[in-house]
Amino acid sequence: MTDPVTAPPAKPTACALPAPRRATPDDAEGISRLRSELILSRPLDAAWLAVCREQLAGRLRPGGDARAYVVDAPGGRLAGCALALVSPVLPAPRYPSGLAARVQAVATRPDHRRHGHARAALTALLHDLERDGVTLFELHASPESRALYEGLGFRGDPALMRRTRLLPEQHAQDARPAPPATAPDPWATVQRLAELFGRLDTGNGLRPEEQWSLQVLKLAEEVGEAAQAVIGARGTNPRKGRSHAWTDVQDEVADVVITGLVSLARMRPDAPAYFASVLARKAEKFLSPKGPESASPAP
């Protein structure tokens, strides 16, 4: 554990993103994904990611032991985060309040790096914790991040040691979180979203046809973001390089699917049945014995 000195406010960033804000339980999903994709040596699977998300959401509530600051990116996801867990220790002259904080995660997505977002989020987090009486901080620094932490007053401590006791393989398998017994009905959630957006647009004086048009344009926007993520994952833009991971592509494709289902639900009260009928027609076309796979080549 080391004691940081109070750092001056971070300089304005060159990237047009909002200033860091204090995280809420709603940010648990984004923070957990950033930790999984950018910090852990092996990304978490869906079951463990759900466990982390639910636990972090509870710990970010008022009175919880988690504190975080995040930087928002366009499209509703997070560009970066700084997360700490606060724990009690026996008081001493250098930490009279008896509070310590372990900085658990500091991460920035590749396409938003080199603009000071990590420093800004971590600086805001440290100042927030200091106001609450935390004076003892600890973190694990990679070689790439060491300069950042030293710039905020952290110093290496040769006396600090760590021990990790891994469970035997069988016990580790038994400790894995069990999947939920039943999956929620996605159409119920889609219908709630459609009703919410409908009420908002109606309140703004938009006619149904105008609402549907804007919703379909939103779908086109999501498709564009998915295409951008593919370019970033493949690194085909020579200026940006590999700015995305394939998990980003998967997230964007999921957004496309959700937006498409919401669009259909806003236009048709019988959206689930209509979608099922269209899917059946497509399946008949492509999966039947007379589908494309069984077609004979043209003479």
Side-chain angles (χ1 to χ4, degrees), residues 142-222:
S142 65
E144 297 80 9
S145 61
R146 190 175 185 87
L148 166 64
Y149 301 134
E150 289 179 343
L152 292 175
F154 286 87
R155 298 292 180 264
D157 184 353
L160 182 62
M161 303 176 69
R162 64 188 305 182
R163 177 177 183 263
T164 301
R165 182 178 180 273
L166 298 178
L167 294 172
E169 184 63 26
Q170 184 58 47
H171 290 173
Q173 292 295 328
D174 294 341
R176 291 175 62 84
T182 57
D185 178 14
W187 277 110
T189 304
V190 167
Q191 190 61 46
R192 290 172 57 195
L193 290 171
E195 293 172 353
L196 170 63
F197 298 150
R199 289 196 301 270
L200 294 175
D201 285 348
T202 300
N204 289 329
L206 297 178
R207 298 189 303 274
E209 292 83 358
E210 294 174 318
Q211 298 182 26
W212 302 344
S213 300
L214 293 175
Q215 184 68 39
V216 173
L217 291 176
K218 176 64 176 174
L219 176 59
E221 178 188 10
E222 297 294 348

Side-chain angles (χ1 to χ4, degrees), residues 91-108:
R94 298 185 68 184
Y95 28 95
S97 62
L99 291 176
R102 177 176 177 81
V103 179
Q104 186 80 9
V106 178
T108 306

Side-chain angles (χ1 to χ4, degrees), residues 67-87:
R67 191 78 54 84
Y69 275 76
V70 297
V71 178
D72 293 308
R77 68 177 184 171
L78 299 182
C81 71
L83 165 70
L85 302 178
V86 181
S87 60

